[in-house]
């Protein structure tokens, strides 16, 4: 590995703050056009090659910039409902072509979109309006086994997964070929503060991530972690979650682990000593996101109430979907995802009630925890209720739907409109984060990771 990157955090932040204003998220065709155009303008710097093909026939291309000897791998779209990384990949590629110092001693390998098929199903909201009601009505997240991020080979105890998708297999081949020093899987969340995952502790890195977040005036997410498996390395910075840790935690609660998906890209890359990073950025923030003052309710009660409310709405969705399932197309990504997620999500209220029983009734939830838990319920029913509604209405739009689907679709539409109205009222308190700031944080965190790994290596 080469010497420490000469760019200190201050210089990295100066670069990150030069990201221009952005008014939309790029879809698959725009991502390809921008990166291909860049490669065409800099044939001496950029090497592009096809590394795979999506299930529906889209080529997957990797763009390599620089000469090494270090290898860095950056990939966007592992969850196709998370488009901030598309701009981050494009901006990083542009700056690498424009600045020899930034390339210094590293070849950057950038995959602008690893899941074109899933991304196309989210493009309905990429041009705005940028509010949660519109975003989640056009939301699509693949079934767990069809997510590039979580479809790597996995074998542990009674879990076994080897149904690797073509997109994930393409990424596997690249990881094995490059054996990258660092890998950055570009993700984002919806509402909350900023939080991070990293494979292992690196001296000073947590403080640098906090400084990056503060530089853009964004709050850290100090509420409920997205999973109780997450081990904190510092405020809003966690050790990378793994399928193995999730399995063990579920088993410790006396529940049967859900094992229809595989390991993560970071788990797979660890065999090569790769240090991986995920920077989770929100489209919207709320004043409660980093409020550590006590709320007026115990954590136990807040968790139990959220579990009950989510369970009730999931029961309604499951009832509608079970009645509709025999009449829905099996080749629809939306139908497959809904079929996978509803039984998976139905386990969450059970798990959270068990967690609540083990909590100290005297511990008060912080304002951030109370907001985060309540918002899980709002987000989940808008996300997956929207996917169910699109499944029903899509079948009807084909013009050959069974009669039974029409009243089911009307019932789901009525429920969903109620949930949207409630969310719209509450979401007036949300602040929409400028896209350029979200990209800036991911961009800075990516460059800082390489610097931190080199610094530790001496």
């Amino acid at each position: 590995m080469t010497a420490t990157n000469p760019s200190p955090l201050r210089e990295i932040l100066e670069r990150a703050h030069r990201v221009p204003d952005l008014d939309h998220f790029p879809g698959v065709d725009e991502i390809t056009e921008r990166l291909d155009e860049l490669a065409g303008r800099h044939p001496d710097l950029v090497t592009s090659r096809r590394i795979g093909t999506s299930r529906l026939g889209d080529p997957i291309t990797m763009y390599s910039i620089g000469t090494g000897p270090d290898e860095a791998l950056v990939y966007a779209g592992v969850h196709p409902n998370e488009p901030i990384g598309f701009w981050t990949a494009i901006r990083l590629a542009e700056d690498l072509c424009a600045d020899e110092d930034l390339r210094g001693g590293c070849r950057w390998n950038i995959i602008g979109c690893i899941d074109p098929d899933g991304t196309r199903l989210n493009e309905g909201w990429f041009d705005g309006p940028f509010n949660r009601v519109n975003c989640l009505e056009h939301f699509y997240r693949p079934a767990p086994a069809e997510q590039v991020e979580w479809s790597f080979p996995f074998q542990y105890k009674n879990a076994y997964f080897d149904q690797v998708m073509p997109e994930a297999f393409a990424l596997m081949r690249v990881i094995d070929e490059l054996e990258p020093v660092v890998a950055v899987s570009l993700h984002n969340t919806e509402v909350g503060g900023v939080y991070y995952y990293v494979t292992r502790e690196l001296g000073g890195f947590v403080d640098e991530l906090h400084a990056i977040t503060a530089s853009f005036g964004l709050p850290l997410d100090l509420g409920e972690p997205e999973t109780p498996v997450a081990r904190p390395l510092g405020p809003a910075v966690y050790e990378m979650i793994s399928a193995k840790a999730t399995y063990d935690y579920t088993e410790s609660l006396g529940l049967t682990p859900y094992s229809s998906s595989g390991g993560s890209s970071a788990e797979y890359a660890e065999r090569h000593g790769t240090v991986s990073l995920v920077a989770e950025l929100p489209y919207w923030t709320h004043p409660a996101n980093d409020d550590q003052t006590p709320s007026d309710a115990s954590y136990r009660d807040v968790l139990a109430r959220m579990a009950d409310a989510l369970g009730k709405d999931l029961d309604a969705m499951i009832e509608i979907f079970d009645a509709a399932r025999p009449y829905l197309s099996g080749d629809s990504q939306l139908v497959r995802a809904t079929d996978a997620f509803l039984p998976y999500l139905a386990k969450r209220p059970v798990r959270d009630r068990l967690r609540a029983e083990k909590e100290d009734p005297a511990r008060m939830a912080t304002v951030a925890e109370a907001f985060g838990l309540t918002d899980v319920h709002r987000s989940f029913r808008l996300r997956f209720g929207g996917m169910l509604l699109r499944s029903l209405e899509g079948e009807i739009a084909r013009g050959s739907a069974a009669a039974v689907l029409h009243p089911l679709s009307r019932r789901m539409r009525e429920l969903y409109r109620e949930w949207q109205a409630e969310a719209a009222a509450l979401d007036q308190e949300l602040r929409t984060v400028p896209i350029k700031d979200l990209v800036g944080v991911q961009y800075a965190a990516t460059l800082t990771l390489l610097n931190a790994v080199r610094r530790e290596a001496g």
Side-chain angles (χ1 to χ4, degrees), residues 408-427:
L408 293 171
S409 179
R410 285 196 298 273
R411 181 183 168 199
M412 188 62 226
R413 171 61 68 181
E414 290 168 1
L415 268 178
Y416 198 68
R417 289 299 181 228
E418 290 176 12
W419 299 343
Q420 287 182 313
E422 182 181 327
L426 292 167
D427 287 356

Side-chain angles (χ1 to χ4, degrees), residues 279-298:
E280 296 275 11
L281 285 301
Y283 310 121
W284 305 281
T285 63
H286 188 276
N289 294 141
D290 57 356
D291 190 339
Q292 294 294 83
T293 59
S295 69
D296 59 0
S298 71

Side-chain angles (χ1 to χ4, degrees), residues 33 51-52 63 74 78 92 109 152 160 163 169 190 225 268 334 344 350 426 428 439 453:
E33 288 168 8
I51 59 169
Y63 302 82
V74 177
V78 281
L92 179 60
N109 304 276
F152 283 73
Y160 183 84
Q163 297 177 19
F169 189 58
E190 290 163 15
Y268 187 82
L334 285 161
Y344 170 73
V350 177
L426 292 167
Q428 292 179 18
V439 174
V453 171

Side-chain angles (χ1 to χ4, degrees), residues 62-65 71-75 107-111 178:
M62 183 171 75
Y63 302 82
S64 300
I65 306 168
E71 301 278 2
L73 177 62
V74 177
Y75 42 101
R107 181 170 70 161
W108 289 86
N109 304 276
I110 298 171
I111 303 170
L178 299 177

Side-chain angles (χ1 to χ4, degrees), residues 153-448:
F154 178 66
Q155 183 173 10
Y156 181 64
K157 295 184 178 178
N158 293 324
Y160 183 84
F161 181 87
D162 63 0
Q163 297 177 19
V164 180
M165 302 187 307
E167 297 88 340
F169 189 58
L171 187 54
M172 282 175 57
R173 289 198 302 264
V174 165
I175 291 170
D176 287 337
E177 172 194 333
L178 299 177
E179 300 184 3
V181 172
V182 297
V184 181
S185 180
L186 295 167
H187 288 257
N188 63 256
T189 184
E190 290 163 15
V191 175
V194 180
Y195 59 102
Y196 303 89
Y197 294 104
V198 64
T199 306
R200 59 181 173 84
E201 296 187 65
L202 299 166
F205 189 51
V206 169
D207 290 339
E208 290 173 323
L209 292 176
H210 289 169
I212 292 168
T213 308
S215 173
F216 285 88
L218 297 179
L220 293 170
D221 197 317
L222 302 179
E224 179 77 1
E226 66 174 320
T227 170
V229 173
R231 185 177 77 86
L233 303 178
V237 182
Y238 303 93
E239 184 178 69
M240 194 74 71
I241 55 177
S242 68
K244 178 180 177 181
T246 301
Y247 187 108
D248 286 340
Y249 179 78
T250 305
E251 192 176 51
S252 74
L253 293 176
L255 301 174
T256 301
Y258 190 83
S259 58
S260 68
S261 58
S264 71
S265 59
E267 285 178 271
Y268 187 82
E270 275 194 277
R271 68 191 60 201
H272 301 298
T274 304
V275 179
S276 295
L277 172 72
V278 168
E280 296 275 11
L281 285 301
Y283 310 121
W284 305 281
T285 63
H286 188 276
N289 294 141
D290 57 356
D291 190 339
Q292 294 294 83
T293 59
S295 69
D296 59 0
S298 71
Y299 181 85
R300 176 177 182 166
D301 287 348
V302 174
L303 183 58
R305 283 200 302 268
M306 186 279 288
D308 290 342
L310 179 60
K312 177 183 175 183
D313 290 337
L314 285 171
D315 286 346
M317 285 189 276
I318 289 169
E319 181 183 344
I320 291 170
F321 184 70
D322 285 349
R325 184 65 184 93
Y327 309 99
L328 296 174
S329 302
D331 62 350
S332 164
Q333 293 181 83
L334 285 161
V335 172
R336 291 201 305 272
T338 303
D339 200 8
F341 270 116
L342 289 181
Y344 170 73
L345 292 171
K347 297 177 183 293
R348 168 132 192 185
V350 177
R351 186 198 75 185
D352 286 345
R353 290 187 191 103
L354 289 172
R355 285 180 58 205
E357 290 172 3
K358 297 181 179 182
E359 288 290 334
D360 180 358
R363 181 172 92 79
M364 304 304 286
T366 65
V367 171
E369 287 173 332
F371 175 82
L373 283 169
T374 304
D375 206 61
V376 164
H377 171 220
R378 282 195 292 267
S379 176
F380 277 17
R381 68 183 185 179
L382 286 176
R383 280 182 169 204
F384 301 104
M387 284 171 52
L388 171 55
L389 186 59
R390 289 175 72 188
S391 297
L392 296 168
E393 293 184 342
E395 190 72 29
I396 290 171
R398 293 177 63 191
S400 58
V404 69
L405 291 181
H406 293 271
L408 293 171
S409 179
R410 285 196 298 273
R411 181 183 168 199
M412 188 62 226
R413 171 61 68 181
E414 290 168 1
L415 268 178
Y416 198 68
R417 289 299 181 228
E418 290 176 12
W419 299 343
Q420 287 182 313
E422 182 181 327
L426 292 167
D427 287 356
Q428 292 179 18
E429 302 173 6
L430 299 179
R431 173 205 166 208
T432 301
V433 182
I435 297 173
K436 68 181 182 66
D437 291 347
L438 300 172
V439 174
V441 172
Q442 274 193 338
Y443 176 103
T446 298
L447 295 179
T448 303

